[in-house]
Amino acid sequence: MKRCPTLKNRDILTVLILIFISTFFLPVVFAQDSHQWRLPEGTIEWFGKGRIYDVKYTPDGTRLAVATTLGIWIYDATTYQPLHFFKKHENLVERIVFSPDGSILASEERFDKIHLWDVNTGKHKYKLQHQGGIKHFDFSADGQTLVTLSIAGPSINTILYHADTGTEKQVKSMDMNHVDFIESYHTTFDRNNSILATGRLDHAINLWDLAKGVHKKTFRGPGNGLGCLAFSPDGKVLASGGIDWNRLHDEEAVRRGNGTLYVWDAVKGKRKHSFSDDDIFSIRSVAFSPDGNLLASGGEFGGIHLVDPNTGKYMKRLEGHSKEVVAISFSADMRTFVSGSIDGTLYIWDIASGEKKHTFDGFFNPLTSDGSFGVSPDGKTIALWGSGQGVCLWNATAGERRKTPINSSFGGHYSLSGSPYNKDGNVIAAKKTWWFVWDRGEVEPTVFTLQSPSGILSYAFRPDRNTIAIGNVDGTFRMFDMNRRDYQKQFIEAHKGGVVGVAYSPDGKTIVSGSADKTIKLWDANTMTEKRVFSGDMGALTDVALRADWKTIAAVDNTETIHLWDMETSTQKKFRIAQGAGIISVAFSSDGKRLAVGGTDGAVHILDAESGVSQQRFTGHQAQVKIVAFAADGKVLASLSDDGVIFLWDVAATE
């Protein structure tokens, strides 16, 4: 229950429909190649490009590939315009590799499939199925062979395929010689010498000669917690990054930085240089420039470090990402490199100046993961959070940005949640580390903080006055007066667990709160006294929904069961999703006849609200569905997922 029940469905769907129809912002989001991807069955429209997992320039630097939960996006590296969208995967794409001449792209689908694509035509060439999972894959130096590795009992299986046809050329089995290959979490391949490097979490690195089928050597970093590996283009140097677990016991050291970046002589197996100074946090990605004279590494908190791997000189630190940098790739001309982060940002950097040249929009960020948008009560203004943009207001009629209410002095990354507008549409709430509320009716919005000692989980505006009901992580319940701009009252012990949902009744006289303590409570909004408690055979609640007529409460608890309570009789009944995963989000249709639920497996279900009979099941998301919401007319359902994608589903058939 993330918002007032009378606003929940209307807010989300109105925004989505306006976004998709008008397409007045993030135009690249909608640049999809319909010939390359058929939308999941039942989909009307979609928004978002997915969570970033890997990025690669083509060897000639003319194109850029981005692997996401949704598929693979191919861009022109000069104009930054989309060229193709590859989608044959049933699961997310974790890693991509170009052939040496850049004509073929290989992509790994979690967990045991490899797809090959013609980069020039955008056509899917073939799919390879690996039993037992894929540990690594790459092209040979001449580009004629695809080399794949998998585990088969106590051996490493190296399977060679013709890169053009996908037919099997050769299978080699190499004994591990008591080296624990299964525990290797990170790999990199030297195409020129057919050497595979594998790294374990304890920073032990093993080199394997795949041509001869033997284990070459082992060397270990002085710390542990290895997070990434990369060979230099000539295979003579190896870079490894990670976290120094030994420094975690030193609070001051952790504050300064706990990351490690090592440069190794791959021939001798000796460490050449190390970097673990202040502000270097856990290293998650490393990449060499094409000439091997520059090394870039990305940290857990978004910092990018450029070093000279030959001299050991630290060159510069680049800032822009706010979360883990998962992939880095250099252009062939050594003028730029690209970096992708789980915060949804994808940047092109100018190496000489260290400045950002271009930002790609529309990838995963809290816009799609936290329900970070809302529409004003008059339907004319959309508030949305954009990565690196703060909270923006858009004129839905004119199709242009009206103002950015958070100025540069507040900075940072914000997201909207719940029903962000008050009744009159003049006040908006958003969250960062603390929650902020500002009055957009003023020339310069007045911002004030809804600070909570334990953290805010949920909130709702009262329909008939400027009051905000706030549910907190520690189970407390607070009321914020928008006129006085301070807290009125607080329930010290409203719940024994975090308040995951809060909503007002349509008349504003009652508040409903759902908690991880397995209870739902009704409160008198004026006296702040407890009126009723609903409890039973429920787990820790993750979402609660109210029927528009205020007669039924639906709650979900990350199991296959949906719990429903009759508000008048306090009787409970349950529905169970057959062969379903845990259900974490729930919503009623406006007429109260249907229930929509979202699961941890990415599936969306439509049920009859009286009988619990399944009417429709939609699949397309690659991660848990955090929010579901019906349109006011009940014909469309929106779902928002951790995969960074929003789908609009056609549910008219269930009416």
Side-chain angles (χ1 to χ4, degrees):
M1 181 170 52
K2 301 173 179 65
R3 59 201 69 202
C4 175
T6 59
L7 295 178
K8 178 177 180 180
N9 300 343
R10 184 191 68 192
D11 281 4
I12 294 181
L13 247 305
T14 303
V15 173
L16 290 174
I17 293 171
L18 287 170
I19 287 174
F20 292 122
I21 293 176
S22 61
T23 62
F24 54 77
F25 76 101
L26 301 182
V28 179
V29 172
F30 305 97
Q32 58 196 40
D33 188 338
S34 60
H35 298 291
Q36 297 298 325
W37 182 40
R38 184 172 59 88
L39 288 168
E41 185 176 355
T43 307
I44 297 173
E45 189 54 273
W46 61 288
F47 169 75
K49 300 177 184 177
R51 182 189 292 267
I52 299 171
Y53 278 86
D54 199 5
V55 294
K56 288 287 193 305
Y57 271 108
T58 52
D60 63 5
T62 61
R63 298 181 186 184
L64 178 67
V66 185
T68 74
T69 47
L70 197 59
I72 303 171
W73 304 84
I74 306 294
Y75 293 91
D76 184 295
T78 302
T79 65
Y80 309 122
Q81 295 301 305
L83 300 174
H84 298 292
F85 177 65
F86 298 161
K87 177 64 178 179
K88 284 284 187 178
H89 315 88
E90 298 175 357
N91 213 314
L92 61 87
V93 181
E94 290 193 309
R95 184 169 176 266
I96 51 178
V97 178
F98 280 105
S99 61
D101 64 2
S103 63
I104 300 175
L105 177 69
S107 60
E108 177 188 358
E109 176 186 344
R110 184 186 289 181
F111 293 91
D112 53 9
K113 301 179 184 68
I114 298 176
H115 297 260
L116 268 77
W117 308 84
D118 186 306
V119 177
N120 297 314
T121 65
K123 293 183 178 180
H124 184 260
K125 293 173 65 68
Y126 55 82
K127 177 178 70 174
L128 302 175
Q129 182 83 34
H130 265 253
Q131 298 298 324
I134 301 167
K135 292 296 291 186
H136 194 80
F137 69 101
D138 208 334
F139 288 94
S140 60
D142 60 10
Q144 300 300 309
T145 303
L146 181 70
V147 183
T148 69
L149 288 92
S150 61
I151 298 295
S155 302
I156 304 173
N157 270 355
T158 305
I159 306 176
L160 308 182
Y161 297 93
H162 288 281
D164 187 53
T165 64
T167 57
E168 191 175 290
K169 297 173 64 174
Q170 186 179 22
V171 179
K172 291 184 178 180
S173 184
M174 180 171 57
D175 186 81
M176 291 183 290
N177 295 324
H178 307 293
V179 176
D180 197 348
F181 185 80
I182 296 177
E183 291 299 318
S184 297
Y185 292 89
H186 304 280
T187 56
T188 185
F189 185 62
D190 171 17
R191 294 174 173 174
N192 298 310
N193 303 299
S194 294
I195 302 298
L196 178 75
T198 64
R200 300 193 324 217
L201 294 183
D202 62 0
H203 222 120
I205 300 173
N206 291 284
L207 300 185
W208 312 76
D209 189 322
L210 299 185
K212 297 180 179 179
V214 297
H215 174 255
K216 289 177 63 68
K217 59 172 65 76
T218 300
F219 45 95
R220 185 188 300 272
N224 51 33
L226 186 142
C228 50
L229 282 173
F231 267 116
S232 62
D234 61 7
K236 295 180 180 180
V237 179
L238 185 68
S240 65
I243 183 172
D244 185 353
W245 291 103
N246 296 323
R247 302 185 74 189
L248 293 180
H249 301 291
D250 183 343
E251 184 175 343
E252 179 62 21
V254 171
R255 186 187 66 80
R256 295 195 310 266
N258 57 10
T260 58
L261 175 62
Y262 299 134
V263 179
W264 305 85
D265 184 317
V267 178
K268 299 179 180 179
K270 295 183 178 181
R271 182 159 55 101
K272 296 178 60 177
H273 308 293
S274 64
F275 305 88
S276 58
D277 297 330
D278 295 354
D279 298 325
I280 296 181
F281 293 91
S282 179
I283 301 299
R284 301 296 188 178
S285 55
V286 286
F288 282 91
S289 61
D291 61 4
N293 293 326
L294 188 61
L295 176 66
S297 64
E300 181 178 5
F301 301 114
I304 297 176
H305 309 275
L306 299 181
V307 303
D308 186 323
N310 302 312
T311 65
K313 179 183 178 182
Y314 185 95
M315 301 178 65
K316 65 180 68 173
R317 175 188 173 96
L318 307 180
E319 298 285 353
H321 300 294
S322 63
K323 294 183 179 180
E324 178 182 335
V325 179
V326 295
I328 297 174
S329 180
F330 284 87
S331 64
D333 60 10
M334 283 289 299
R335 293 182 178 180
T336 63
F337 73 89
V338 61
S339 61
S341 168
I342 63 172
D343 66 5
T345 53
L346 184 68
Y347 297 138
I348 302 292
W349 300 87
D350 183 276
I351 294 177
S353 66
E355 299 295 325
K356 283 183 285 189
K357 289 189 62 176
H358 184 74
T359 299
F360 290 90
D361 293 316
F363 290 96
F364 174 91
N365 58 47
L367 170 61
T368 50
S369 69
D370 290 343
S372 304
F373 49 81
V375 65
S376 60
D378 62 9
K380 295 181 180 180
T381 304
I382 296 171
L384 71 150
W385 182 94
S387 179
Q389 301 177 35
V391 178
C392 300
L393 301 183
W394 297 82
N395 185 319
T397 303
E400 59 186 17
R401 188 168 64 180
R402 296 175 61 181
K403 79 171 68 165
T404 302
I406 296 183
N407 58 39
S408 59
S409 64
F410 297 101
H413 294 269
Y414 292 77
S415 63
L416 301 171
S417 184
S419 179
Y421 283 97
N422 72 334
K423 179 184 177 183
D424 299 323
N426 291 325
V427 180
I428 309 173
K431 66 179 180 179
K432 189 187 175 187
T433 305
W434 295 334
W435 286 50
F436 291 80
V437 176
W438 64 93
D439 187 341
R440 72 185 183 98
E442 301 178 9
V443 176
E444 289 296 330
T446 300
V447 180
F448 45 98
T449 305
L450 302 182
Q451 183 178 353
S452 172
S454 66
I456 299 173
L457 285 179
S458 55
Y459 73 97
F461 281 100
R462 188 169 181 169
D464 59 349
R465 64 176 60 183
N466 288 333
T467 302
I468 305 177
I470 299 170
N472 301 300
V473 173
D474 61 3
T476 59
F477 198 90
R478 310 179 78 187
M479 311 297 294
F480 191 89
D481 189 309
M482 292 296 299
N483 296 318
R484 295 169 49 189
R485 299 190 176 181
D486 62 7
Y487 284 100
Q488 291 178 324
K489 301 176 182 179
Q490 176 177 352
F491 296 126
I492 302 301
E493 295 180 354
H495 288 279
K496 294 182 179 179
V499 182
V500 299
V502 57
Y504 276 96
S505 61
D507 60 10
K509 295 180 180 180
T510 304
I511 302 172
V512 177
S513 61
S515 171
D517 68 3
K518 308 178 184 180
T519 66
I520 302 168
K521 295 186 178 182
L522 272 60
W523 308 88
D524 186 298
N526 296 316
T527 64
M528 308 301 173
T529 55
E530 183 181 302
K531 298 171 61 176
R532 194 184 307 178
V533 179
F534 299 96
S535 62
D537 184 20
M538 297 186 295
L541 300 184
T542 58
D543 197 10
V544 180
L546 304 176
R547 222 167 85 161
D549 59 9
W550 198 248
K551 292 182 178 180
T552 307
I553 302 175
V556 292
D557 57 3
N558 200 12
T559 67
E560 297 180 356
T561 301
I562 305 164
H563 307 268
L564 290 94
W565 296 89
D566 187 294
M567 294 282 282
E568 296 179 356
T569 65
S570 296
T571 56
Q572 181 187 16
K573 63 180 178 181
K574 303 176 184 179
F575 299 150
R576 185 179 177 86
I577 301 294
Q579 299 179 345
I583 302 300
I584 61 171
S585 55
V586 60
F588 278 101
S589 59
S590 57
D591 60 9
K593 295 180 179 180
R594 289 167 295 166
L595 272 175
V597 295
T600 55
D601 61 351
V604 176
H605 302 262
I606 306 296
L607 311 175
D608 183 282
E610 293 296 327
S611 65
V613 173
S614 177
Q615 297 179 335
Q616 288 176 300
R617 181 177 184 270
F618 301 108
T619 58
H621 287 298
Q622 302 297 333
Q624 64 180 6
V625 180
K626 299 182 69 173
I627 297 178
V628 288
F630 282 95
D633 61 7
K635 296 181 179 180
V636 179
L637 180 82
S639 59
L640 295 80
S641 169
D642 272 349
D643 62 9
V645 180
I646 300 171
F647 282 119
L648 296 183
W649 307 98
D650 183 357
V651 295
T654 63
E655 289 188 301

